[in-house]
Structure formats: structure tokens, C-alpha cells
mmCIF file of all heavy atoms in Angstrom:
data_model
loop_
_atom_site.group_PDB
_atom_site.id
_atom_site.type_symbol
_atom_site.label_atom_id
_atom_site.label_comp_id
_atom_site.label_asym_id
_atom_site.label_seq_id
_atom_site.Cartn_x
_atom_site.Cartn_y
_atom_site.Cartn_z
ATOM 1 N N ILE R 27 -42.494 3.681 -56.571
ATOM 2 C CA ILE R 27 -43.140 2.371 -56.521
ATOM 3 C C ILE R 27 -43.113 1.864 -55.084
ATOM 4 O O ILE R 27 -42.054 1.793 -54.460
ATOM 5 C CB ILE R 27 -42.430 1.368 -57.452
ATOM 6 C CG1 ILE R 27 -42.377 1.922 -58.880
ATOM 7 C CG2 ILE R 27 -43.137 0.019 -57.422
ATOM 8 C CD1 ILE R 27 -41.516 1.103 -59.828
ATOM 9 N N LEU R 28 -44.293 1.508 -54.582
ATOM 10 C CA LEU R 28 -44.427 0.974 -53.238
ATOM 11 C C LEU R 28 -45.135 -0.370 -53.280
ATOM 12 O O LEU R 28 -45.710 -0.737 -54.304
ATOM 13 C CB LEU R 28 -45.224 1.944 -52.347
ATOM 14 C CG LEU R 28 -44.530 3.269 -52.078
ATOM 15 C CD1 LEU R 28 -45.048 4.313 -53.028
ATOM 16 C CD2 LEU R 28 -44.735 3.711 -50.662
ATOM 17 N N VAL R 29 -45.114 -1.058 -52.164
ATOM 18 C CA VAL R 29 -45.836 -2.320 -52.042
ATOM 19 C C VAL R 29 -46.841 -2.211 -50.898
ATOM 20 O O VAL R 29 -46.560 -1.611 -49.869
ATOM 21 C CB VAL R 29 -44.884 -3.524 -51.823
ATOM 22 C CG1 VAL R 29 -44.011 -3.738 -53.031
ATOM 23 C CG2 VAL R 29 -44.032 -3.352 -50.583
ATOM 24 N N ARG R 30 -48.002 -2.757 -51.124
ATOM 25 C CA ARG R 30 -48.999 -2.866 -50.060
ATOM 26 C C ARG R 30 -48.970 -4.322 -49.626
ATOM 27 O O ARG R 30 -49.120 -5.231 -50.437
ATOM 28 C CB ARG R 30 -50.391 -2.475 -50.566
ATOM 29 C CG ARG R 30 -51.415 -2.391 -49.432
ATOM 30 C CD ARG R 30 -52.747 -1.862 -49.930
ATOM 31 N NE ARG R 30 -52.669 -0.546 -50.541
ATOM 32 C CZ ARG R 30 -52.709 0.614 -49.876
ATOM 33 N NH1 ARG R 30 -52.813 0.618 -48.566
ATOM 34 N NH2 ARG R 30 -52.642 1.769 -50.537
ATOM 35 N N GLN R 31 -48.745 -4.534 -48.318
ATOM 36 C CA GLN R 31 -48.671 -5.907 -47.825
ATOM 37 C C GLN R 31 -49.239 -6.008 -46.418
ATOM 38 O O GLN R 31 -49.272 -5.043 -45.672
ATOM 39 C CB GLN R 31 -47.240 -6.429 -47.881
ATOM 40 C CG GLN R 31 -46.225 -5.686 -47.068
ATOM 41 C CD GLN R 31 -44.821 -6.200 -47.336
ATOM 42 O OE1 GLN R 31 -44.615 -7.387 -47.543
ATOM 43 N NE2 GLN R 31 -43.852 -5.317 -47.331
ATOM 44 N N TYR R 32 -49.668 -7.208 -46.107
ATOM 45 C CA TYR R 32 -50.259 -7.494 -44.805
ATOM 46 C C TYR R 32 -49.157 -7.561 -43.756
ATOM 47 O O TYR R 32 -48.115 -8.166 -43.970
ATOM 48 C CB TYR R 32 -51.014 -8.825 -44.849
ATOM 49 C CG TYR R 32 -51.632 -9.191 -43.521
ATOM 50 C CD1 TYR R 32 -52.783 -8.557 -43.084
ATOM 51 C CD2 TYR R 32 -51.044 -10.145 -42.698
ATOM 52 C CE1 TYR R 32 -53.359 -8.885 -41.860
ATOM 53 C CE2 TYR R 32 -51.604 -10.476 -41.482
ATOM 54 C CZ TYR R 32 -52.760 -9.836 -41.064
ATOM 55 O OH TYR R 32 -53.314 -10.151 -39.853
ATOM 56 N N ARG R 33 -49.417 -6.956 -42.592
ATOM 57 C CA ARG R 33 -48.505 -6.993 -41.454
ATOM 58 C C ARG R 33 -49.263 -7.552 -40.249
ATOM 59 O O ARG R 33 -50.165 -6.905 -39.718
ATOM 60 C CB ARG R 33 -47.943 -5.604 -41.148
ATOM 61 C CG ARG R 33 -47.058 -5.036 -42.250
ATOM 62 C CD ARG R 33 -45.898 -5.944 -42.514
ATOM 63 N NE ARG R 33 -44.868 -5.325 -43.337
ATOM 64 C CZ ARG R 33 -43.785 -5.954 -43.710
ATOM 65 N NH1 ARG R 33 -43.593 -7.221 -43.378
ATOM 66 N NH2 ARG R 33 -42.879 -5.353 -44.450
ATOM 67 N N GLY R 34 -48.883 -8.760 -39.859
ATOM 68 C CA GLY R 34 -49.604 -9.466 -38.801
ATOM 69 C C GLY R 34 -49.588 -8.778 -37.449
ATOM 70 O O GLY R 34 -50.562 -8.870 -36.698
ATOM 71 N N ALA R 35 -48.502 -8.093 -37.103
ATOM 72 C CA ALA R 35 -48.408 -7.454 -35.788
ATOM 73 C C ALA R 35 -49.488 -6.394 -35.590
ATOM 74 O O ALA R 35 -49.901 -6.135 -34.458
ATOM 75 C CB ALA R 35 -47.023 -6.836 -35.588
ATOM 76 N N ILE R 36 -49.952 -5.791 -36.676
ATOM 77 C CA ILE R 36 -51.022 -4.797 -36.569
ATOM 78 C C ILE R 36 -52.315 -5.274 -37.215
ATOM 79 O O ILE R 36 -53.287 -4.528 -37.243
ATOM 80 C CB ILE R 36 -50.596 -3.434 -37.164
ATOM 81 C CG1 ILE R 36 -50.320 -3.550 -38.658
ATOM 82 C CG2 ILE R 36 -49.411 -2.846 -36.413
ATOM 83 C CD1 ILE R 36 -50.215 -2.232 -39.384
ATOM 84 N N ASP R 37 -52.300 -6.505 -37.766
ATOM 85 C CA ASP R 37 -53.455 -7.105 -38.415
ATOM 86 C C ASP R 37 -54.071 -6.153 -39.446
ATOM 87 O O ASP R 37 -55.277 -5.906 -39.453
ATOM 88 C CB ASP R 37 -54.494 -7.538 -37.375
ATOM 89 C CG ASP R 37 -55.602 -8.386 -37.997
ATOM 90 O OD1 ASP R 37 -55.355 -9.035 -39.043
ATOM 91 O OD2 ASP R 37 -56.721 -8.390 -37.441
ATOM 92 N N ASP R 38 -53.211 -5.636 -40.326
ATOM 93 C CA ASP R 38 -53.693 -4.711 -41.336
ATOM 94 C C ASP R 38 -52.670 -4.660 -42.478
ATOM 95 O O ASP R 38 -51.560 -5.159 -42.357
ATOM 96 C CB ASP R 38 -53.889 -3.313 -40.744
ATOM 97 C CG ASP R 38 -54.898 -2.473 -41.515
ATOM 98 O OD1 ASP R 38 -55.383 -2.920 -42.587
ATOM 99 O OD2 ASP R 38 -55.193 -1.359 -41.066
ATOM 100 N N PHE R 39 -53.060 -4.024 -43.557
ATOM 101 C CA PHE R 39 -52.176 -3.817 -44.694
ATOM 102 C C PHE R 39 -51.488 -2.466 -44.557
ATOM 103 O O PHE R 39 -52.102 -1.494 -44.106
ATOM 104 C CB PHE R 39 -52.976 -3.848 -46.004
ATOM 105 C CG PHE R 39 -53.450 -5.224 -46.359
ATOM 106 C CD1 PHE R 39 -54.647 -5.719 -45.847
ATOM 107 C CD2 PHE R 39 -52.697 -6.029 -47.191
ATOM 108 C CE1 PHE R 39 -55.080 -6.986 -46.158
ATOM 109 C CE2 PHE R 39 -53.124 -7.311 -47.524
ATOM 110 C CZ PHE R 39 -54.317 -7.789 -47.001
ATOM 111 N N LEU R 40 -50.213 -2.413 -44.945
ATOM 112 C CA LEU R 40 -49.465 -1.158 -44.947
ATOM 113 C C LEU R 40 -48.923 -0.895 -46.344
ATOM 114 O O LEU R 40 -48.554 -1.820 -47.065
ATOM 115 C CB LEU R 40 -48.270 -1.224 -43.986
ATOM 116 C CG LEU R 40 -48.548 -1.141 -42.496
ATOM 117 C CD1 LEU R 40 -47.236 -1.158 -41.723
ATOM 118 C CD2 LEU R 40 -49.338 0.113 -42.149
ATOM 119 N N LEU R 41 -48.846 0.380 -46.699
ATOM 120 C CA LEU R 41 -48.199 0.803 -47.924
ATOM 121 C C LEU R 41 -46.770 1.180 -47.553
ATOM 122 O O LEU R 41 -46.559 2.046 -46.693
ATOM 123 C CB LEU R 41 -48.943 1.993 -48.535
ATOM 124 C CG LEU R 41 -48.515 2.440 -49.924
ATOM 125 C CD1 LEU R 41 -48.647 1.308 -50.944
ATOM 126 C CD2 LEU R 41 -49.303 3.658 -50.356
ATOM 127 N N GLU R 42 -45.786 0.503 -48.196
ATOM 128 C CA GLU R 42 -44.390 0.651 -47.799
ATOM 129 C C GLU R 42 -43.475 0.703 -49.012
ATOM 130 O O GLU R 42 -43.813 0.178 -50.066
ATOM 131 C CB GLU R 42 -43.935 -0.555 -46.971
ATOM 132 C CG GLU R 42 -44.786 -0.885 -45.772
ATOM 133 C CD GLU R 42 -44.345 -2.183 -45.114
ATOM 134 O OE1 GLU R 42 -43.125 -2.390 -44.927
ATOM 135 O OE2 GLU R 42 -45.227 -3.002 -44.805
ATOM 136 N N ILE R 43 -42.294 1.263 -48.807
ATOM 137 C CA ILE R 43 -41.251 1.134 -49.820
ATOM 138 C C ILE R 43 -40.704 -0.291 -49.729
ATOM 139 O O ILE R 43 -40.814 -0.935 -48.683
ATOM 140 C CB ILE R 43 -40.129 2.181 -49.620
ATOM 141 C CG1 ILE R 43 -39.494 2.074 -48.228
ATOM 142 C CG2 ILE R 43 -40.650 3.585 -49.893
ATOM 143 C CD1 ILE R 43 -38.290 2.967 -48.018
ATOM 144 N N PRO R 44 -40.125 -0.817 -50.808
ATOM 145 C CA PRO R 44 -39.541 -2.160 -50.738
ATOM 146 C C PRO R 44 -38.451 -2.212 -49.664
ATOM 147 O O PRO R 44 -37.606 -1.320 -49.573
ATOM 148 C CB PRO R 44 -38.945 -2.354 -52.136
ATOM 149 C CG PRO R 44 -39.746 -1.441 -53.017
ATOM 150 C CD PRO R 44 -40.057 -0.249 -52.159
ATOM 151 N N ALA R 45 -38.477 -3.276 -48.859
ATOM 152 C CA ALA R 45 -37.526 -3.399 -47.748
ATOM 153 C C ALA R 45 -37.457 -4.839 -47.296
ATOM 154 O O ALA R 45 -38.360 -5.627 -47.555
ATOM 155 C CB ALA R 45 -37.965 -2.508 -46.588
ATOM 156 N N GLY R 46 -36.387 -5.143 -46.575
ATOM 157 C CA GLY R 46 -36.262 -6.473 -46.010
ATOM 158 C C GLY R 46 -35.021 -6.586 -45.145
ATOM 159 O O GLY R 46 -34.124 -5.739 -45.201
ATOM 160 N N GLY R 47 -35.012 -7.639 -44.345
ATOM 161 C CA GLY R 47 -33.902 -7.873 -43.433
ATOM 162 C C GLY R 47 -32.650 -8.338 -44.143
ATOM 163 O O GLY R 47 -32.714 -8.988 -45.192
ATOM 164 N N ARG R 48 -31.515 -7.992 -43.552
ATOM 165 C CA ARG R 48 -30.242 -8.473 -44.086
ATOM 166 C C ARG R 48 -30.136 -9.972 -43.838
ATOM 167 O O ARG R 48 -30.642 -10.484 -42.846
ATOM 168 C CB ARG R 48 -29.065 -7.757 -43.411
ATOM 169 C CG ARG R 48 -29.048 -6.271 -43.713
ATOM 170 C CD ARG R 48 -27.757 -5.596 -43.336
ATOM 171 N NE ARG R 48 -27.471 -5.699 -41.906
ATOM 172 C CZ ARG R 48 -26.297 -5.385 -41.358
ATOM 173 N NH1 ARG R 48 -25.287 -4.978 -42.103
ATOM 174 N NH2 ARG R 48 -26.119 -5.486 -40.062
ATOM 175 N N ASP R 49 -29.462 -10.666 -44.731
ATOM 176 C CA ASP R 49 -29.278 -12.110 -44.582
ATOM 177 C C ASP R 49 -28.363 -12.434 -43.415
ATOM 178 O O ASP R 49 -28.477 -13.503 -42.814
ATOM 179 C CB ASP R 49 -28.711 -12.715 -45.870
ATOM 180 C CG ASP R 49 -29.753 -12.808 -46.969
ATOM 181 O OD1 ASP R 49 -30.960 -12.750 -46.661
ATOM 182 O OD2 ASP R 49 -29.349 -12.943 -48.141
ATOM 183 N N SER R 50 -27.456 -11.526 -43.074
ATOM 184 C CA SER R 50 -26.558 -11.694 -41.937
ATOM 185 C C SER R 50 -26.189 -10.307 -41.427
ATOM 186 O O SER R 50 -26.372 -9.310 -42.132
ATOM 187 C CB SER R 50 -25.288 -12.453 -42.336
ATOM 188 O OG SER R 50 -24.455 -11.623 -43.125
ATOM 189 N N ALA R 51 -25.647 -10.247 -40.221
ATOM 190 C CA ALA R 51 -25.243 -8.963 -39.654
ATOM 191 C C ALA R 51 -24.085 -8.348 -40.420
ATOM 192 O O ALA R 51 -23.793 -7.160 -40.250
ATOM 193 C CB ALA R 51 -24.879 -9.140 -38.182
ATOM 194 N N ASP R 52 -23.439 -9.126 -41.291
ATOM 195 C CA ASP R 52 -22.315 -8.629 -42.082
ATOM 196 C C ASP R 52 -22.706 -8.208 -43.498
ATOM 197 O O ASP R 52 -21.888 -7.639 -44.219
ATOM 198 C CB ASP R 52 -21.226 -9.707 -42.186
ATOM 199 C CG ASP R 52 -20.654 -10.071 -40.832
ATOM 200 O OD1 ASP R 52 -20.590 -9.189 -39.951
ATOM 201 O OD2 ASP R 52 -20.293 -11.240 -40.650
#
């Protein structure tokens, strides 16, 4: 299962695995 989402830095949609930033460095 992947997600297709808009990425502003490249002004296009990418197909990606689910991902996201950590809430803190810890």
C-alpha cells in the first residue's frame, strides 16, 4: 500500500510508502 501525494518542492505528485517526520529528535 502506497500513497500518492503532492510535493511542492517538485510541483508534482509522487507515489510513496507511508512516511513522516519524527515528533522530536528523541
